[in-house]
Amino acid sequence: MAEDGINSFMTGPDEAGRFGIFGGRFVSETLMPLILELEERYDFAKTDPSFWAEMDDLWKHYVGRPSPLYHAERLTAHLGGAKIYMKRDELNHTGAHKINNVLGQIILARRMGKTRIIAETGAGQHGVATATVCAKFGLKCVVYMGAHDVERQAPNVFRMKLLGAEVIPVTSGRGTLKDAMNDALRDWVTNVRDTFYCIGTVAGPHPYPAMVRDFQSIIGKEVRWQLAEQEGEGRLPDTVIAAIGGGSNAMGLFYPFLDDPSVRIIGVEAGGKGVDDRMQHCASLTGGRPGVLHGNRTYLLQDPDGQILEGFSISAGLDYPGIGPEHAWLHDTGRAEYVSITDAEALEAFQLSCRLEGIIPALEPSHALAHVMKIAPGLPKDHIIVMNMCGRGDKDIFTVAKHLGVDMKV
Amino acid sequence: MTRIDDTFARLKREGKKAFVSYIMGGDPDVATSLAVMKGLPAAGVDIIELGMPFTDPMADGPTIQLAGQRALDKGMTMDAVLEMVRAFRAGDATTPIVLMGYYNPIYSRGVERFLTEAKEAGIDGLIVVDLPPEEDDELCIPAQKAGINFIRLATPTTDAKRLPKVLQNTSGFVYYVSITGITGAGAAQAGDVAPEVARIKAATDLPVIVGFGITTPDQARAIAGVADGCVVGSAIVKDIGAGKPVAEVLANVAALAGGAHAA
């Protein structure tokens, strides 16, 4: 821990891209030179003041950062315990935290002379963010999206097309997010010269998990000063909570607090219909075991023979059988806690946020909010919880209507 | 000396190029797959690559993806892949078998256990697509110690600076991937491949075998002619996927082998 002055949770990954045993560079030889070049260019960029000046300018004027830190008074009163703040990353341009990372990767891609950007997307938020930034910079954009997700996230598919992106429905495998990532990797291995793969979460081969975390860390950095200065709390939060699919919004909130032992860190996985042997969930840490997929070692949902299983969740953004390797490491070291929330619990939290705060949340942060609802009542009133409201729910209203038995056509 | 080394020594004596074929273990079912496998040596195959199915074959095109799915849908497992090898070995003590696939099913089983069982079953080499030299400690080094060749892929993106690293712990042969891309895509061009093979051969004494993008006997002859041999995978797997009778699959393999051996 940080207090002994020797060990820190913020020094990873090591030179091999490992967080403990997790992470690494498990890619085909064709891609190896590309990720080594990316690592070299990113290592240079992250210490280059002109890179961050460009980021800061776009974060402020294009994305709308800093996103507000909002005291959810009615929700706090309703739950009757801890004081609840929401980090309003759903107010970013494109409606989620995804654009924080996309901007960083696209600026890097431009500096590397790449002219074609590919991305995978689940709920479509990362695809929309990538299409948006590509439109802004006049870059060709190709987004791989599982055929099943294309169907359940139709509004985002149309947005990407309006923004000039080509959306390729993925039918290989089972046509889900992991298959979209497979097809994006197949594209990259084919188009090695001009193409940059913009990964949407803290997973993939090194340096992606660290790079995406660094770009998303703006979330936690803002929370630190907003809570202390702007909200006049003059201190750190007691608990930070975020939802996890691959885990980028969570890593962005958690990372700046890793060496503050007083801050309790909780990641919320998608429990689907319940974390049990029916495997109808996406809780990789609670229901999976270590394995190797998509360039990194991490916790994976898999069968006894090492075949990857499909995740299941009401939320397309959490529907991934793995989790970022740094989360796997934080889990094993005990620095962060990981829990799961079911579809039903997330739906309840979704509705509560709408009615009490006038905020329609995405189904992803609804999972984080559902866990806040579980723990806040039992905590003292001076206990500060910050949850990451990482996306807005416009894209999910059709899914929610269906689950609530509402016919939108009427 | 492994069976792979012996095979290349024999081919050298005979003045022939190597013909390597790939099939997916358990595609479309174990019985058919084993029948094809047993017929490969007589059809002219010098080295057999046997695919271990995986749900997420990131380096493979649709043909081999579907082959893996067919096998998995029929309940194919690592146990069954090893059992196929044992059954093949019962009737053939000399043809090298190289298992090809992805790391997770091996990691899931446990590397030590896998290597012990693979060696005992009669496996001679491994090609594991998602283990670059940077991850050699995972499987490559333990495999060499267990007496199993670890065959590395070199690709068009493997530049001069990187090539020594790729060759360092490679044994058996070097597999040169003729195109940037996935299996079953594009067409290998002998004119592009020749200087790359020469570049690799200047840096190693190991045989260099070229794969990806070879589908016809003419291509097999052209590509084998500029290397120590060639690999055909998707073209054979496509025949199996189309449900062609074993004899017809093997006749097409024989034609491809004839191309390579005519080089």
Side-chain angles (χ1 to χ4, degrees), chain A residues 212-371:
Chain A
V212 175
R213 172 201 71 197
D214 292 347
F215 293 143
Q216 291 293 0
S217 292
I218 186 71
I219 298 171
K221 285 179 196 161
E222 286 177 3
V223 167
R224 277 187 92 95
W225 66 258
Q226 285 174 320
L227 190 69
E229 299 164 27
Q230 178 188 301
E231 296 299 318
E233 299 283 0
R235 65 184 184 91
L236 295 171
D238 298 296
T239 301
V240 292
I241 299 185
I244 296 184
S248 72
N249 91 80
M251 227 34 252
L253 175 63
F254 297 170
Y255 186 68
F257 297 105
L258 289 181
D259 283 346
D260 298 295
S262 70
V263 180
R264 187 179 174 195
I265 296 174
I266 305 175
V268 183
E269 295 193 285
K273 292 181 177 172
V275 183
D276 53 35
D277 52 14
R278 291 174 303 166
M279 294 306 283
Q280 295 201 319
H281 63 82
C282 294
S284 322
L285 288 174
T286 327
R289 61 191 165 89
V292 173
L293 179 71
H294 294 152
N296 61 155
R297 174 165 27 229
T298 188
Y299 278 79
L300 298 172
L301 300 181
Q302 52 186 321
D303 75 7
D305 217 36
Q307 304 295 342
I308 309 303
L309 299 170
E310 298 296 326
F312 177 90
S313 170
I314 189 173
S315 156
L318 302 178
D319 202 346
Y320 181 69
I323 183 167
E326 195 166 6
H327 285 296
W329 176 70
L330 291 171
H331 171 266
D332 279 15
T333 57
R335 176 61 190 100
E337 301 161 50
Y338 294 86
V339 298
S340 66
I341 283 291
T342 64
D343 288 352
E345 291 168 329
L347 274 170
E348 198 186 322
F350 177 99
Q351 295 171 80
L352 194 71
S353 174
C354 292
R355 287 198 305 266
L356 289 182
E357 296 295 345
I359 294 171
I360 301 178
L363 282 168
E364 293 81 12
S366 296
H367 286 72
L369 198 59
H371 192 67

Side-chain angles (χ1 to χ4, degrees), chain A residues 18 25-30 32-33 172-173 178 182 185-186 189-190 289 291-292 297 302 304-308, chain B residues 53-58 60 65 69 77-78 104 107-108 129-130 132 135 138 153 155 157-158 162 180-181:
Chain A
R18 298 288 181 95
R25 290 182 281 222
F26 296 89
V27 296
S28 64
E29 173 59 23
T30 310
M32 222 24 243
S172 69
K178 82 172 171 71
N182 289 336
L185 285 162
R186 289 174 185 130
V189 90
T190 307
R289 61 191 165 89
V292 173
R297 174 165 27 229
Q302 52 186 321
D305 217 36
Q307 304 295 342
I308 309 303
Chain B
F54 183 48
T55 39
D56 294 79
M58 290 168 300
D60 286 306
Q65 288 172 34
Q69 275 182 28
T77 59
M78 183 67 85
N104 199 54
Y107 179 71
S108 170
V129 180
D130 50 356
E135 305 292 353
E138 296 282 335
L153 305 181
T155 72
T157 60
T158 310
R162 190 170 164 74
T180 59

Side-chain angles (χ1 to χ4, degrees), chain B residues 58-239:
Chain B
M58 290 168 300
D60 286 306
T63 301
I64 291 176
Q65 288 172 34
L66 291 172
Q69 275 182 28
R70 285 192 296 269
L72 290 172
D73 288 348
K74 282 280 173 69
M76 196 63 187
T77 59
M78 183 67 85
D79 279 337
V81 169
L82 294 169
E83 194 48 46
M84 267 185 76
V85 174
R86 288 187 201 103
F88 176 88
R89 272 285 166 255
D92 184 320
T94 55
T95 308
I97 300 173
V98 175
L99 284 190
M100 184 166 182
Y102 296 81
Y103 185 39
N104 199 54
I106 295 171
Y107 179 71
S108 170
R109 196 171 191 85
V111 165
E112 290 308 320
R113 179 184 164 198
F114 169 79
L115 289 173
T116 305
E117 291 173 342
K119 183 76 186 168
E120 170 270 321
I123 301 293
D124 305 288
L126 299 173
I127 300 177
V128 182
V129 180
D130 50 356
L131 285 177
E134 280 72 6
E135 305 292 353
D136 267 359
D137 291 342
E138 296 282 335
L139 180 65
C140 172
I141 305 291
Q144 313 273 28
K145 281 185 185 151
I148 295 177
N149 288 137
F150 196 85
I151 294 139
R152 188 96 67 199
L153 305 181
T155 72
T157 60
T158 310
D159 59 18
K161 195 177 101 192
R162 190 170 164 74
L163 187 59
K165 193 174 178 100
V166 169
L167 296 174
Q168 191 181 14
N169 291 318
T170 302
S171 62
F173 60 91
V174 179
Y175 187 133
Y176 180 68
V177 176
S178 68
I179 54 165
T180 59
I182 51 180
T183 54
Q189 304 295 328
D192 297 337
V193 168
E196 294 295 306
V197 171
R199 182 167 72 94
I200 297 167
K201 287 189 78 70
T204 180
D205 293 331
L206 290 170
V208 179
I209 304 299
V210 178
F212 284 45
I214 302 165
T215 56
T216 67
D218 284 347
Q219 280 176 315
R221 188 174 67 234
I223 296 296
V226 298
D228 296 307
C230 68
V231 187
V232 177
S234 294
I236 299 167
V237 172
K238 201 170 269 176
D239 280 352

Side-chain angles (χ1 to χ4, degrees), chain A residues 143-158:
Chain A
V143 179
Y144 289 89
M145 188 170 186
H148 176 58
D149 292 333
V150 166
E151 201 178 305
R152 64 176 170 172
Q153 302 288 342
N156 272 343
V157 174
F158 186 57

